Amino acid sequence: RREMSGGGVGPAVVVSRGVGGAGAVAASDAGAVASRRPGNVEVVSLAPVLLADVRANIVELGERTGAAARAAALVAEAEARITAVREKTERLPRRRVSLLEWVDPLYAAGHWTPELVMLAGGIDGHGHSGARTRRMPWSDVQACTPQVRVPPGRGLKPGPAQGQLHTLPAPSRFTHLST
């Protein structure tokens, strides 16, 4: 934030999510908005594809906003947690996971989400690390023969997603899966 003439406060940095999909804002659109703001507003477009990119984006934003030390601490904390999870799951048997990004329409998770599944001890049945999310039919969910179904992060009403699993239009053969 920065002080503006007239005593107000405005943004010094506008962050744009360059990765396509719901909620993505093109850097040119963010730039157009920033150009209408008084003062010099920097536009930063982030497009993380892998988990390492997410960590690098945190560091970049910290540097651009004067919070480099805090950003470095957040990344170090995240890396410690990732290492702890990896150590707990590396000797466990891997289970096939159906993790959906969105349910209406149905999308497989992509970008860094398949990395998270792998770190947690799973094998992503639909997505591929670094790949974009993709629309898919329910037959793809069946074909991966998932052992675990993870509630989607988007496309459900606010609140606990697990309680809404029964509302998903999944074929009845998935009612026995772990969540």
Side-chain angles (χ1 to χ4, degrees):
R1 297 183 334 165
R2 62 177 169 73
E3 290 188 32
M4 299 170 52
S5 61
V9 176
V13 177
V14 171
V15 179
S16 166
R17 191 180 99 190
V19 175
V25 175
S28 59
D29 293 340
V33 169
S35 70
R36 291 192 297 269
R37 304 290 304 170
N40 186 20
V41 178
E42 179 182 11
V43 176
V44 178
S45 181
L46 305 178
V49 176
L50 299 171
L51 200 51
D53 300 330
V54 173
R55 293 190 299 263
N57 286 168
I58 293 168
V59 169
E60 178 183 0
L61 286 175
E63 291 169 353
R64 290 178 185 243
T65 60
R70 178 67 181 132
L74 285 172
V75 169
E77 179 184 326
E79 289 185 3
R81 292 172 68 190
I82 288 168
T83 298
V85 169
R86 183 183 293 119
E87 288 172 356
K88 288 181 180 183
T89 63
E90 65 188 358
R91 290 180 290 283
L92 297 175
R94 299 282 173 179
R95 297 174 74 187
R96 279 180 314 284
V97 176
S98 175
L99 191 155
L100 306 174
E101 179 87 11
W102 199 275
V103 292
D104 190 16
L106 188 64
Y107 273 84
H111 301 104
W112 61 88
T113 304
E115 285 182 87
L116 297 176
V117 171
M118 185 270 308
L119 288 169
I123 300 168
D124 193 309
H126 313 299
H128 304 284
S129 292
R132 293 176 60 96
T133 59
R134 67 176 176 84
R135 195 167 180 174
M136 65 181 201
W138 275 106
S139 60
D140 284 6
V141 178
Q142 290 175 305
C144 93
T145 59
Q147 296 164 300
V148 177
R149 184 170 60 153
V150 179
R154 299 187 234 176
L156 295 177
K157 296 175 185 166
Q162 187 169 346
Q164 298 176 51
L165 279 178
H166 70 280
T167 67
L168 299 179
S172 61
R173 98 175 241 213
F174 296 114
T175 58
H176 70 283
L177 297 176
S178 300
T179 53

